[in-house]
């Protein structure tokens, strides 16, 4: 991860430079966090205590230790979800080993940075094997799934600033790794470690892509050494580098050593894990951690440098939910016209502005380009042609992070803040805030099985043939008890004016409609809050497979907030049915 370490070093050097400048603008002092929890267990000891032989998925709660104390582990973060390959995975390594936490938390890289020490009270969390990889998380399909954020965040503390150079990357060979899996001790020691393979090559390097863009799971590629020994590398089809070509020739690969069923598989943090190859295709230069700790909210906007680090490659398709409908902050330093940056207000292009982390920025590489839509209040307030005194002022803009005028930027800009003034523009009626048809995949909805009968292997599932999400607990001609949630990602209603929810659904095979409405329901919660059951206006007749529209469900009470929407399915050993959902849409009311 050499390039990433250089990037982080430059970031901290820059922070030091800011603190020594004149009082042009104020930069808060860098505060080093200090953890109060004390580590009392190594990762190796934790794995050994809870490891269960037999090759079956299982989970078990972590109990108090023999002294009656909570079990606390510590180590450094060796993962990053910035590039989307390690989605909702946090991997922590100490001097004895490493372990993966599977958590329903977005933007983990902003909360727990690569190379940062963390301490985690794991008591009460579940630990077990998923396809023979030991994880800590929640419960899913009688095995380890994702742990809810509210159950994870209170139990983790960061200790000190990130130190990427302190991460222990171990050079190994493919034959050595294959030998490690022959014993339980080897699996326990090496699973989830960050390892480096030297003088290796990819089968299909230079022609195949890392993954299959638009796929629904992952793609396996093969890495081999000079003697023909091979190891699989698995890449998420939705990672930001899925469509980039594998490097050709011979080089070094640094990746997480994961495990699936009966063999090892590698997971890259990002493409910087591939170094020194004879031929490296033009892949975006994407460091592990963007500059800044913003999360895209109005209270904590992304910085201009974070947008640069995101390095958007598309002018139309937003890379992820964390880059759509977000707030971005920076100093207005110019405008862009005919591929030239103009760092004055003279002859400014009214269609855009350039934002930067510093008001003294004077290179286009240090700026992002913000679209100012024609006729909008945002253009009227921010453009330098009509407002030359805006030059050097700090402002916030609201929109989507996309490539714009060949630069990282913000498009579809619909709101702003400058000099304490915020825009009053309203979205067009019918404007889509968030949608998921479920036609192709489950998307970024998550499933949380609270409880299931042993006869069930799932409750919610995606039906790829017909394109919907389906919940049922009827198996082998019998009903079974269950309690399961299908939950949306965070939906941003920060600037919504009249948001409504609609979806198509049907109920069938319940003993009656009344029983169906007792066993299935929809609920809404403010981000981090408690679920509140909401009324669904229209239901199907429980007598066939015809979808009906739910009718408009007003979300007015959640305006200005970020929310999640959940579909709750329950059943008993005496009664169950089927609930199918598709065409989920949150939009502005017509």
């Amino acid at each position: 991860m050499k390039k990433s370490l250089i990037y982080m070093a430059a970031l901290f050097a820059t922070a030091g430079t800011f603190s020594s400048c004149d009082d042009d603008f104020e930069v808060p002092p860098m505060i080093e966090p200090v953890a109060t929890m004390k580590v009392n267990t190594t990762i190796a000891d934790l794995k050994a205590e809870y490891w269960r032989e037999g090759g079956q998925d299982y989970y078990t709660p972590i109990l108090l230790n023999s002294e009656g104390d909570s079990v606390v582990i510590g180590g450094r973060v060796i993962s990053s979800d910035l590039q989307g390959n390690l989605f909702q995975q946090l991997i922590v390594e100490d001097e004895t080993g490493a372990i993966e936490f599977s958590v329903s938390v977005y933007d983990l890289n902003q909360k727990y940075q690569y190379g940062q020490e963390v301490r985690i009270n794991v008591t009460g969390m579940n630990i077990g094997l998923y396809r023979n990889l030991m994880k800590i998380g929640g419960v899913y399909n009688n095995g380890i799934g994702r742990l809810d954020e509210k159950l994870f965040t209170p139990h983790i503390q960061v200790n000190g600033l990130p130190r990427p150079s302190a991460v222990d990357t171990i050079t190994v060979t493919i034959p050595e790794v294959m030998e490690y899996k022959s014993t339980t001790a080897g699996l326990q020691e090496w699973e989830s470690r960050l390892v480096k393979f030297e003088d290796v090559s990819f089968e299909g390097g230079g022609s195949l892509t890392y993954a299959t863009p638009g796929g629904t799971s992952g793609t396996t590629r093969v890495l081999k050494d000079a003697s023909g020994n091979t190891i699989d590398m698995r890449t998420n089809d939705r990672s930001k580098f899925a469509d980039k070509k594998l490097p050709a020739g011979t080089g070094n690969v640094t990746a997480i050593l994961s495990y699936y069923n009966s063999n090892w598989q590698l997971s890259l943090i990002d493409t910087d894990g591939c170094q020194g190859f004879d031929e490296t295709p033009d892949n975006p230069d994407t460091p592990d951690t963007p500059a800044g700790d913003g999360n895209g909210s109005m209270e904590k906007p992304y910085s201009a440098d974070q947008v640069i680090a995101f390095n958007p490659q598309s002018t139309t398709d937003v890379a992820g939910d964390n880059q759509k409908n977000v707030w971005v902050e920076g100093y207005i330093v110019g405008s862009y016209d005919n591929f030239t940056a103009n760092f004055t207000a003279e002859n400014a292009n009214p269609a855009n502005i350039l934002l930067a982390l510093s008001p003294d920025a004077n290179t286009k590489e240090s700026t992002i380009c913000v679209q100012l839509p024609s006729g909008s209040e945002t253009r009227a307030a921010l453009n330098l042609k009509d407002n030359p005194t805006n030059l050097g002022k700090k402002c916030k803009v609201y929109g989507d992070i996309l490539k714009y005028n060949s630069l990282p930027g913000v498009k579809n800009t619909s709101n702003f803040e400058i000099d304490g003034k915020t825009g009053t523009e309203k979205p067009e009626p019918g404007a889509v805030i968030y949608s998921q048809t479920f036609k192709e995949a489950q998307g970024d909805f998550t499933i949380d099985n609270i409880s299931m009968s042993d006869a069930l292997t799932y409750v919610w599932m995606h039906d790829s043939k017909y394109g919907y999400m389906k919940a049922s607990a009827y198996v082998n001609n019998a009903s079974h008890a269950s309690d399961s949630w299908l939950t949306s990602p965070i939906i941003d209603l920060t600037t919504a004016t009249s948001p409504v929810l609609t979806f198509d659904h049907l109920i069938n095979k319940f003993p009656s409609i009344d029983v169906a409405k007792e066993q299935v329901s929809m609920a809404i919660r403010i981000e981090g809050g408690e679920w509140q059951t909401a009324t669904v206006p229209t239901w199907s007749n429980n007598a066939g497979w015809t979808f009906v529209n739910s009718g408009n469900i007003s979300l007015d009470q959640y305006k200005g907030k970020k929310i999640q929407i959940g579909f709750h399915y329950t059943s008993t050993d005496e009664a169950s049915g089927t609930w199918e959902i598709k065409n989920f849409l949150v939009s502005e009311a017509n």
Side-chain angles (χ1 to χ4, degrees):
M1 308 306 289
K2 183 176 180 182
K3 188 187 300 181
S4 299
L5 301 185
I6 292 173
Y7 177 86
M8 289 299 297
L11 171 61
F12 292 127
T14 303
T17 301
F18 284 165
S19 65
S20 63
C21 289
D22 295 332
D23 295 333
D24 292 337
F25 60 99
E26 221 174 89
V27 176
M30 188 174 292
I31 300 174
E32 185 167 351
V34 177
T36 57
M37 291 190 292
K38 303 298 181 183
V39 174
N40 59 16
T41 306
T42 67
I43 291 175
D45 286 343
L46 182 68
K47 283 184 171 182
E49 181 175 355
Y50 286 95
W51 193 280
R52 185 186 301 171
E53 302 288 355
Q56 298 295 319
D57 289 355
Y58 74 90
Y59 67 92
T60 187
I62 299 173
L63 306 176
L64 298 174
N65 64 21
S66 57
E67 286 77 35
D69 297 326
S70 295
V71 176
V72 179
I73 63 172
R76 292 197 182 275
V77 176
I78 61 170
S79 60
S80 171
D81 62 351
L82 179 60
Q83 293 300 305
N85 196 39
L86 301 176
F87 180 67
Q88 297 193 332
Q89 296 166 256
L90 182 73
I91 303 173
V92 178
E93 183 178 65
D94 68 7
E95 66 277 4
T96 69
I99 194 162
E100 175 186 320
F101 288 82
S102 183
V103 290
S104 292
V105 180
Y106 292 91
D107 302 323
L108 281 163
N109 65 89
Q110 295 178 24
K111 301 176 178 70
Y112 318 108
Q113 299 182 42
Y114 180 86
Q116 190 164 33
E117 185 183 348
V118 295
R119 298 178 185 178
I120 309 170
N121 180 353
V122 296
T123 310
M125 296 182 185
N126 285 288
I127 189 170
L129 295 185
Y130 176 77
R131 300 296 189 264
N132 283 322
L133 174 68
M134 179 161 268
K135 298 183 180 184
I136 296 176
V139 179
Y140 176 69
N141 279 357
N142 290 323
I144 292 295
R146 295 192 183 110
L147 183 67
D148 191 270
E149 181 173 7
K150 66 181 180 181
L151 299 177
F152 178 74
T153 302
H155 295 272
I156 180 170
Q157 296 177 347
V158 297
N159 189 55
L161 299 173
R163 290 180 56 209
S165 61
V167 173
D168 185 16
T169 304
I170 306 171
T171 300
V172 294
T173 67
I174 295 176
E176 286 173 343
V177 167
M178 293 307 168
E179 180 65 24
Y180 298 150
K181 73 173 184 175
S182 63
T183 65
T184 297
L187 288 172
Q188 292 175 2
E189 180 179 358
W190 289 94
E191 279 190 355
S192 299
R193 298 293 288 266
L194 185 64
V195 298
K196 180 180 181 180
F197 296 89
E198 295 181 337
D199 301 321
V200 290
S201 61
F202 288 102
E203 292 185 359
S207 58
L208 296 176
T209 56
Y210 281 94
T212 306
T216 59
S217 55
T219 300
T220 299
R221 300 302 187 206
V222 177
L223 190 70
K224 63 181 180 180
D225 64 15
S227 300
N229 300 301
T230 63
I231 188 171
D232 289 345
M233 186 178 80
R234 187 75 171 173
T235 302
N236 192 322
D237 290 338
R238 297 186 178 185
S239 68
K240 295 179 184 178
F241 55 88
D243 62 341
K244 308 307 174 188
K245 288 187 177 180
L246 291 166
T250 302
N252 304 328
V253 172
T254 301
I256 299 294
L257 184 60
S258 188
Y259 204 82
Y260 188 80
N261 285 336
S262 61
N263 212 345
W264 298 110
Q265 62 180 20
L266 300 174
S267 297
L268 285 171
I269 298 172
D270 56 32
T271 56
D272 287 344
C274 300
Q275 295 285 327
F277 281 81
D278 301 335
E279 301 174 36
T280 302
D282 292 331
N283 291 328
D285 182 9
T286 49
D288 281 333
T289 308
D293 61 353
N295 59 19
S297 66
M298 188 172 188
E299 295 76 19
K300 202 173 184 181
Y302 288 130
S303 70
D305 274 17
Q306 282 182 278
V307 176
I308 293 171
F310 281 134
N311 195 27
Q313 296 298 298
S314 173
T315 60
T316 56
D317 297 325
V318 183
D321 287 336
N322 65 326
Q323 297 177 40
K324 185 176 180 62
N325 295 328
V326 295
W327 284 95
V328 174
E329 182 178 65
Y331 289 90
I332 300 176
V333 296
S335 62
Y336 200 70
D337 197 14
N338 293 324
F339 299 100
T340 301
N342 174 14
F343 292 99
T344 71
E346 296 180 11
N347 302 313
N349 183 353
N352 66 73
I353 53 173
L354 295 176
L355 295 185
L357 187 67
S358 165
D360 301 320
N362 57 12
T363 63
K364 71 176 184 180
E365 290 77 16
S366 62
T367 66
I368 63 173
C369 194
V370 177
Q371 180 187 47
L372 305 179
S374 177
S376 68
E377 184 181 357
T378 301
R379 176 182 286 197
L382 299 185
N383 87 86
L384 286 173
K385 181 178 181 180
D386 299 322
N387 307 279
T389 59
N390 280 354
L391 191 68
K393 288 184 178 180
K394 182 182 282 188
C395 77
K396 298 177 185 178
V397 293
Y398 181 82
D400 300 331
I401 295 176
L402 290 163
K403 193 170 187 176
Y404 179 50
N405 281 338
S406 77
L407 296 175
V410 179
K411 295 183 68 177
N412 307 320
T413 319
S414 61
N415 213 330
F416 68 93
E417 181 183 72
I418 190 169
D419 293 333
K421 176 186 177 184
T422 302
T424 59
E425 292 172 317
K426 296 182 179 181
E428 291 292 323
V432 174
I433 298 172
Y434 175 85
S435 68
Q436 179 57 256
T437 65
F438 299 121
K439 182 177 181 180
E440 303 293 337
Q442 178 181 323
D444 43 11
F445 275 65
T446 58
I447 296 170
D448 185 13
N449 291 315
I450 307 301
S451 63
M452 288 195 307
S453 164
D454 290 340
L456 300 174
T457 57
Y458 65 85
V459 177
W460 283 101
M461 67 165 288
H462 177 255
D463 189 311
S464 58
K465 181 177 181 179
Y466 295 105
Y468 51 70
M469 293 300 298
K470 171 184 176 181
S472 175
Y474 191 80
V475 177
N476 296 328
N477 298 315
S479 294
H480 300 278
S482 70
D483 186 341
S484 181
W485 286 81
L486 174 69
T487 306
S488 77
I490 301 296
I491 299 173
D492 190 351
L493 303 182
T494 304
T495 61
T497 59
S498 185
V500 295
L501 164 68
T502 62
F503 54 91
D504 295 335
H505 70 139
L506 67 83
I507 52 171
N508 199 12
K509 302 297 183 178
F510 289 91
S512 67
I513 292 180
D514 288 340
V515 171
K517 291 182 179 181
E518 290 176 358
Q519 293 189 336
V520 302
S521 61
M522 188 199 78
I524 304 171
R525 67 178 176 186
I526 298 170
E527 183 179 12
E530 298 295 325
W531 289 111
Q532 302 294 325
T533 302
T535 299
V536 179
T538 305
W539 297 78
S540 67
N541 60 10
N542 193 42
W545 304 104
T546 301
F547 281 87
V548 298
N549 187 264
S550 64
N552 284 357
I553 301 167
S554 174
L555 302 176
D556 275 353
Q557 70 186 92
Y558 302 104
K559 290 187 298 185
K561 298 178 174 64
K562 293 184 177 181
I563 66 169
Q564 283 183 289
I565 296 169
F567 296 96
H568 190 195
Y569 178 96
T570 64
S571 60
T572 67
D573 290 333
E574 292 73 35
S576 66
T578 297
W579 194 17
E580 296 175 359
I581 296 172
K582 64 180 181 179
N583 297 332
F584 180 96
L585 175 66
V586 177
S587 63
E588 292 289 344
N590 287 308

